[in-house]
Each structure stands twice: as C-alpha cells, then as structure tokens.
C-alpha cells in the first residue's frame, strides 16, 4: 500500500511541479497535510474570527479538516456580511466562479481562500483577475497554489507560490514597489511652494512638471506630507500643474472640467494635493482622502482708524443738553430784554436784544462781564454760576474724550464686513463662491469681489485702502492666497490687522484615486 502511495505521489509531482505538501487522497482522507492547511488558513484569514463557507460536491474530508483547523464560527449556505473571510471548496471551477460572484469583492478587507479539489492549469477561468476586484485571494488546488498580488498594485496577477508562508497578505502596509505615480499640485503657500516648471509630454498628455532644484520650493505642509507618504508607501512621482486655467476646475454636467480634479477625473494623475476643500462637489467625481486639517477662509482687513471729525467737538454733551442750553439762553435773553423796557433801573444797553443775547452768552461762558447790572444782579449771578457748571462739565468731558480717540467700527463678523465699503479680490481664476461662503453671504460677497490683474494691481488696491486680503490661517499664522509684501501691510495708516474669521468652515483633503 505504501509503495503504491509513494509511486502515485511521484507521478503527481512529475506532472504538477514541486508540491511537497500534497498527498493523494486514497482512503477518503484529505490530500492536504493538516500542518500545511493550518498555516495556509492562518495566512489567508489573518485576524478573522468568522467566515462564510461555500461548498459544492462531495468534499466532506476537506471540509471537516478545514472546520477543525479554522476553529472559529462559520456560516454555511448564506452570507454573513460582518465576516470578511470566505472559504470556497469545490471540484469544478465553474461552481467556484458562481460562488465568487456572490462575494462583495469590491471591499478591500475581503479575504478569499479557494480550494479546488482537482488539478487546474494556469489558463483556468479561476485565474481571471477581474472576478476578485479588491479582495485578497489565495487558491489551492491539487496541481499547485497561487496567491493574488496586492490590490493596490495594478495590474494584479496570480503568483504561483511554493510555501504556505508566501500566501501572507500585506495587511495595512502598502508597498507600491517603486512605481511612479503622476501627481498634481500648484503654488499655494503654505501648503506647497512648488513653482518652477518645465513642459513635458508624459503618457501622451502634455503637462508642466515641477523641476526645481531649489530645496525651498520643495517645502510646504502638504508637500512634506506627500513626501512622507511617498517614502512610506514606497513610490516615486512626477508632479505637474493643474491644467485648463483653473486650479481645481468646475463640475460641468457629468464631467469635471479643468484643474486638478479634472486631471484626476480623466485619470491623467493618480493623486492631487494643495488646499483641496473636503466638499460634496468634487466627491461626486473623485475619491477624497480623509481631511488632515480644519481651516476656514479669513480676511485680513484694515485696522479701524481713529475718527477725526469737526463735529466731535459737540460730542461731550448730548443733543438734549445742547437744545436745553440754547433754549435757556434765548428765553433768558428775552426775559432780560423785556425787563429792560419795563424797569428803568436796568441799564439801557439791555434794550437792544442783540446786545442782551451777546452779553448773556459772554457771561455764560465766563468771557465777558460788564459790572453795571442794576436790577439784574441776583439773576446774573445765578446765570454765571450755571455757566460755570456747564463749561466745566463740557471741558472735562472733552478732555476725557481727547485722551481716548474714537475709532471706526470694528470688522469682526461677515455682517460687519458687508456693511463697510471693503472690496476683496485675488489673482487668477474667479473663485467658485459657493466654495467660499455660506449661502446667506454668497451673493453679497460676490458683488464685493474684484479680480486682481497683477501684483502691482493688488499693491495699488491695498494702498488705496478699503481692501480686504483673503487667505487662511494655519497654526495661528495668516497666509494670504496671493503674495502680499510686508511693506504693503506696514505702511502707516494702512496697517492691516484685524482678521475676519469663519466665513466657511472646511477641511483640507488630499485626493487619491486608483
Ligand atoms: C474575465 O472575466 C470577465 C468578466 O468578469 C470577462 O469579460 C473577460 O473576458 C474574462 N477574461 C478572460 C481572459 O477570460
Ligand atoms: C521599495 O520598492 C523597491 C522596488 O520594488 C524595493 O527594491 C525596495 O526594497 C522597496 N523599499 C521598501 C522600504 O520596501
Ligand atoms: C509651458 O506651456 C505653457 C502653456 O501650455 C506655457 O504657458 C508656458 O510658458 C510653457 N513653459 C515653458 C517653460 O515652456
Ligand atoms: C451642460 O450644462 C450646460 C449648463 O452648464 C447646459 O447648457 C447644457 O445643456 C448641459 N449639457 C448636457 C448634455 O446636459
Ligand atoms: C470611490 O471609490 C469607490 C471604491 O473604490 C468606488 O466605488 C467609487 O466609484 C469611487 N468614486 C469615484 C467618484 O471615483
Ligand atoms: C464705496 O467706495 C466706492 C469706490 O470704491 C464709492 O464710489 C462709494 O461711494 C463708496 N460707498 C460708501 C458707502 O462709502
């Protein structure tokens, strides 16, 4: 009996190559050694605690062997979607393919172990990679073992493996094995400072590729993040500018036109970064990564200036007091004038109303006080006293006001921004306002937008005043969307200080696509 088994085994190895683990099933026992199958299950279903089983035909021995070695829960005849492990066992590849069709292979967590209880060749339909989409797959047959290469490296291929340990999937550790990825970004401080570029044609698409040798250009938060990703995931890259006149592009019906999102959409690039807002619109066209930071649009607005206004002299006392004072002066003058006509003792100069008015005002402010006041002495003393009180109150209030100058209204909120006469702008394409502002401000902020033609244009607008500079704050530092020279911001009178916060909250994301 033993001789026979060894002979058959030798014949089998001659036909199928190196299969030290395969034994021919002679007495209803399995052709797979327990030890080997156990190791294959461990590698194929690493980390799984339950699995879905699909068995077709009479394979009781293999099935029993699998269940014993696996040792966790399993579901037979149905699919438990909470379990990502799938075990398939049959003789006929057609049955197996029917089973695979029911598996949600689009989910990259899916782990599939197929045992074909027959001999298969390299051109079997089972090796059609398109069945498996993103799943991890190992296939064991009587004629050999195969493992499907990782889902992140396209095209995927089935590799013939010799040892069960070669069936291990690289869980969570992506290694792109030095593949070259096409990437898009542009000059968007502080995220990317790349600016020097050359024109080249790569894969029949013309592009402007960044080529600077200046290490300062290879700076920027997202550039650094990207470099770390490249190192970790082991890929090389070529970085190009967005095309089509836009930075991110615009959604047009069913396509995306221009910009980095457009390049991703047309699959000209694999990855893009550079201040991409995590928003619904691009999400419909390309897959976005998780956001890495939360930023919002900010405006740098001119610092409120002190108000210099002649009428500020009237401020120390209120309008009511002014009215009361003027009325009292007129009434008092009338009274003295009438009294001068009735009472002969009152000096005759009071018979002129103009004289009376002038003298009473002079006495009120303490400037002019002729001594001859027969018949009016008490009344005029009281008048002097009232004048003293009013003048003292006015002067002290004025002095207090002069030491704390008046300022223009502050600009802290979008509503205050809209009430002022500020305009804002940027160079390049007109922004997509719905990306910038909440709906209630969109229309009004749009009306205040004036495109900048150049750096000089921007400088002139800042110099003229009434101009807000748009940008974002990262780590407490304000970064304008376009370059602004420090001298523009410091020129006296026009110090830009205030930062108008939160028009729209959003997060930055990298865009990754397959
Ligand atoms: C692989 O399967 C797909 C359908 O899923 C089919 O269109 C394609 O022709 C098959 N390829 C081969 C080489 O059989
Ligand atoms: C990166 O990929 C290359 C090419 O396949 C390989 O030689 C190298 O060992 C990989 N590096 C790492 C750290 O895996
Ligand atoms: C590259 O091409 C663009 C137009 O596609 C052009 O504006 C630019 O000047 C070119 N750059 C160089 C360095 O030739
Ligand atoms: C695409 O959208 C434009 C407006 O943006 C519209 O005029 C045009 O009819 C649309 N085309 C299609 C094919 O839907
Ligand atoms: C995003 O990725 C998922 C899974 O890979 C895919 O089904 C979907 O079509 C992708 N979305 C876009 C817009 O490409
Ligand atoms: C706002 O500024 C414009 C010119 O920039 C001027 O014509 C307009 O009168 C100003 N409006 C107010 C309310 O100051």
């Amino acid at each position: 009996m033993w001789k026979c088994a060894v002979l058959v085994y030798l014949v089998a190895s001659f036909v199928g190559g190196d299969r030290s683990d395969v034994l021919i099933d002679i007495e209803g026992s399995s052709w797979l050694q327990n030890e080997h199958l156990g190791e294959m299950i461990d590698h194929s279903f690493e980390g799984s605690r339950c699995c879905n089983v699909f068995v077709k035909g009479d394979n009781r021995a293999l099935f029993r062997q699998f269940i014993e070695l696996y040792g966790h829960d399993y579901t037979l005849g149905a699919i438990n979607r909470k379990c990502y492990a799938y075990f398939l066992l049959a003789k006929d590849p057609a049955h197996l393919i029917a089973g695979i069709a029911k598996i949600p292979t689009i989910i990259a967590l899916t782990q599939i172990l197929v045992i074909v209880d027959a001999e298969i060749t390299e051109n079997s339909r089972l090796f059609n990679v398109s069945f498996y989409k993103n799943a991890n797959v190992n296939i064991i047959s009587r004629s050999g073992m195969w493992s499907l290469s990782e889902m992140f490296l396209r095209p995927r291929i089935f590799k013939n493996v010799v040892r069960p340990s070669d069936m291990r999937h690289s869980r969570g550790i992506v290694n792109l094995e030095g593949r070259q990825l096409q990437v898009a970004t542009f000059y968007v401080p502080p995220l990317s400072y790349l600016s020097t570029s050359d024109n080249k044609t790569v894969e029949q698409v013309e592009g402007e590729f960044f080529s600077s040798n200046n290490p300062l250009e290879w700076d920027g938060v997202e550039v650094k993040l990207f470099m770390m990703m490249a190192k970790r995931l082991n890929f090389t890259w070529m970085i190009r500018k967005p095309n089509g006149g836009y930075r991110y592009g615009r959604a047009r019906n069913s396509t995306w036109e221009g910009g980095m999102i457009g390049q991703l959409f047309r699959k000209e690039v694999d990855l893009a970064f550079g201040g991409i807002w995590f928003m619904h619109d691009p999400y419909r066209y390309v897959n976005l990564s998780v956001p890495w930071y939360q930023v919002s649009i900010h405006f740098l607005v001119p610092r409120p200036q002190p108000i210099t206004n002649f009428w500020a002299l009237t401020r120390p006392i209120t309008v009511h007091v002014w009215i009361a004072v003027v009325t009292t002066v007129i009434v008092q003058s009338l009274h003295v004038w009438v009294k001068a006509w009735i009472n002969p003792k009152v000096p005759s100069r009071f018979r002129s109303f103009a004289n009376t008015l002038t003298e009473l005002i002079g006495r009120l402010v303490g400037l002019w006080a002729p001594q001859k006041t027969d018949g009016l002495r008490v009344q005029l003393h009281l008048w002097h006293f009232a004048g003293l009180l009013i003048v003292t109150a006015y002067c002290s209030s004025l002095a207090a006001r002069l030491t704390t100058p008046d300022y223009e209204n502050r600009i802290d909120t979008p509503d205050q921004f809209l009430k002022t006469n500020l305009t804002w702008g940027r160079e390049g394409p007109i922004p997509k306002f719905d990306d910038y502002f909440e709906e209630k401000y969109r229309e009004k902020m749009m009306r205040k937008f004036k495109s900048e033609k150049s750096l000089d244009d921007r400088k002139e607008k800042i110099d003229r005043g009434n101009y807000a500079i748009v940008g974002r704050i990262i780590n407490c530092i304000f970064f304008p969307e376009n370059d602004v020279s420090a001298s523009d911001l410091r020129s006296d009178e026009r110090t830009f200080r205030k930062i108008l916060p939160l028009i729209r909250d959003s997060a930055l994301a990298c865009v990754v696509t397959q």
Side-chain angles (χ1 to χ4, degrees):
M1 192 66 215
W2 261 113
K3 270 190 195 141
C4 177
V6 170
L7 183 68
V8 175
Y9 172 63
L10 284 176
V11 171
S13 42
F14 181 70
V15 172
D18 180 7
R19 275 164 296 113
S20 54
D21 54 329
V22 176
L23 280 175
I24 297 301
D25 174 11
I26 290 162
E27 291 177 326
S29 67
S30 167
W31 45 273
L32 276 166
Q33 285 179 11
N34 265 350
E35 186 191 326
H36 284 145
L37 182 59
E39 210 178 325
M40 290 176 204
I41 292 170
D42 284 350
H43 292 317
S44 303
F45 293 161
E46 197 184 326
S48 93
R49 288 286 165 272
C50 63
C51 89
N52 295 292
V53 177
F54 172 92
V55 184
K56 194 92 182 173
D58 184 20
N59 305 293
R60 246 171 275 156
L62 269 169
F63 177 61
R64 229 182 298 117
Q65 194 186 2
F66 169 79
I67 296 306
E68 269 167 30
L69 291 169
Y70 180 62
H72 300 293
D73 285 350
Y74 64 94
T75 313
L76 191 64
I79 288 185
N80 176 359
R81 286 184 186 268
K82 284 186 192 142
C83 299
Y84 295 110
Y86 293 84
F87 174 68
L88 295 95
L89 172 61
K91 258 195 170 66
D92 182 356
H95 289 145
L96 292 166
I97 288 166
I100 290 161
K102 292 182 193 139
I103 300 176
T105 45
I106 193 85
I107 300 169
L109 293 173
T110 304
Q111 301 163 319
I112 300 176
L113 175 61
V114 179
I115 296 186
V116 196
D117 190 10
E119 307 225 335
I120 53 171
T121 53
E122 299 274 351
N123 52 19
S124 162
R125 281 180 61 214
L126 268 180
F127 294 123
N128 186 339
V129 172
S130 67
F131 295 140
Y132 303 102
K133 297 194 179 79
N134 298 322
N136 290 311
V137 185
N138 289 326
I139 297 181
I140 302 165
S141 77
R142 285 184 182 246
S143 54
M145 306 185 289
W146 289 267
S147 183
L148 186 57
S149 64
E150 302 299 334
M151 52 84 61
F152 45 80
L153 280 180
R154 308 278 163 147
R156 301 185 76 182
I157 46 164
F158 271 103
K159 284 188 247 173
N160 198 319
V161 297
V162 179
R163 278 163 289 134
S165 62
D166 295 337
M167 291 188 152
R168 179 177 291 141
H169 305 300
S170 61
R171 288 174 60 83
I173 305 154
V174 174
N175 185 350
L176 297 181
E177 294 176 10
R179 302 265 169 128
Q180 188 178 71
L181 298 194
Q182 299 298 321
V183 182
T185 190
F186 65 103
Y187 181 77
V188 46
L191 306 173
S192 158
Y193 289 93
L194 289 168
S195 54
T196 316
S197 61
D198 281 341
N199 288 348
K200 270 188 230 159
T201 304
V202 172
E203 288 170 13
Q204 287 104 48
V205 182
E206 211 179 297
E208 290 184 58
F209 290 86
F210 293 110
S211 58
S212 174
N213 292 326
N214 182 356
L216 287 180
E217 273 197 24
W218 294 96
D219 200 358
V221 184
E222 290 194 356
V223 172
K224 292 283 185 221
L225 280 174
F226 168 75
M227 301 280 200
M228 285 192 303
M229 271 168 67
K231 194 167 170 212
R232 186 77 191 264
L233 307 184
N234 198 11
F235 64 83
T236 56
W237 32 261
M238 289 188 82
I239 305 185
R240 69 182 81 189
K241 274 188 192 174
N243 55 15
Y246 290 122
R247 296 167 185 190
Y248 304 101
R250 300 281 189 275
R252 281 282 145 73
N253 304 341
S254 61
T255 63
W256 189 281
E257 202 176 277
M260 301 198 293
I261 309 282
Q263 286 172 311
L264 284 167
F265 183 73
R266 290 190 302 275
K267 304 222 186 297
E268 282 169 38
V269 297
D270 304 299
L271 190 149
F273 63 89
I276 293 168
W277 298 104
F278 192 71
M279 285 191 313
H280 181 248
D281 226 9
Y283 213 93
R284 290 193 346 248
Y285 294 86
V286 294
N287 273 326
L288 301 174
S289 70
V290 290
W292 67 271
Y293 198 72
Q294 179 106 19
V295 294
S296 43
I297 296 281
H298 282 70
F299 283 98
L300 202 58
V301 300
R303 184 156 64 175
Q305 298 293 315
I307 298 174
T308 46
N309 179 352
F310 171 77
W311 292 105
L313 281 178
T314 64
R315 295 245 175 98
I317 50 184
T318 62
V319 177
H320 297 107
V321 178
W322 279 117
I323 292 171
V325 168
V326 171
T327 322
T328 317
V329 168
I330 291 168
V331 170
Q332 178 81 342
S333 306
L334 274 173
H335 179 251
V336 171
W337 175 66
V338 171
K339 215 166 173 186
W341 284 100
I342 297 167
N343 188 343
K345 267 165 71 187
V346 174
S348 59
R349 66 176 191 278
F350 288 115
R351 289 194 188 164
S352 151
F353 183 73
N355 274 349
T356 313
L357 190 63
T358 318
E359 188 174 327
L360 284 182
I361 292 173
R363 281 173 189 276
L364 190 69
V365 298
L367 285 182
W368 186 44
Q371 286 190 346
K372 210 160 164 245
T373 54
D374 300 330
L376 293 169
R377 191 155 290 143
V378 176
Q379 189 177 352
L380 288 186
H381 276 312
L382 285 174
W383 185 243
H384 270 292
F385 184 64
L388 181 73
L389 289 183
I390 288 171
V391 170
T392 313
Y394 175 84
C395 288
S396 29
S397 171
L398 184 65
R401 261 155 213 277
L402 291 182
T403 50
T404 51
D406 250 359
Y407 281 97
E408 294 163 355
N409 288 335
R410 292 170 60 102
I411 307 171
D412 288 330
T413 64
D415 291 309
Q416 288 169 344
F417 183 97
L418 291 169
K419 267 191 217 130
T420 63
N421 205 6
L422 289 175
T423 58
W424 66 285
R426 75 167 202 197
E427 223 175 305
I430 293 175
K432 202 156 162 276
F433 294 98
D434 11 340
D435 290 2
Y436 276 58
F437 307 112
E438 282 157 24
E439 201 168 349
K440 59 179 174 170
Y441 302 121
R442 207 168 288 158
E443 187 76 10
K444 288 178 186 152
M445 293 302 289
M446 204 167 110
R447 269 188 254 127
K448 291 185 173 277
F449 178 85
K450 304 262 182 310
S451 257
E452 293 167 354
K453 287 177 203 75
S454 61
L455 183 70
D456 291 335
D457 186 29
R458 177 161 54 252
K459 202 171 156 63
E460 196 191 316
K461 283 177 171 166
I462 294 173
D463 274 355
R464 251 189 278 138
N466 268 339
Y467 198 64
I469 298 169
V470 65
R472 43 168 88 83
I473 287 187
I474 291 180
N475 206 8
C476 305
I477 302 170
F478 178 79
F479 292 93
E481 230 173 69
N482 296 115
D483 286 346
V484 182
S485 70
S487 62
D488 283 343
L489 300 186
R490 293 235 182 77
S491 59
D492 51 307
E493 298 276 306
R494 286 177 215 97
T495 319
F496 278 76
R497 269 295 164 74
K498 192 99 227 93
I499 286 165
L500 177 76
L502 301 191
I503 297 251
R504 164 157 218 140
D505 243 348
S506 209
L508 297 179
C510 236
V511 174
V512 191
T513 162
Q514 264 299 328

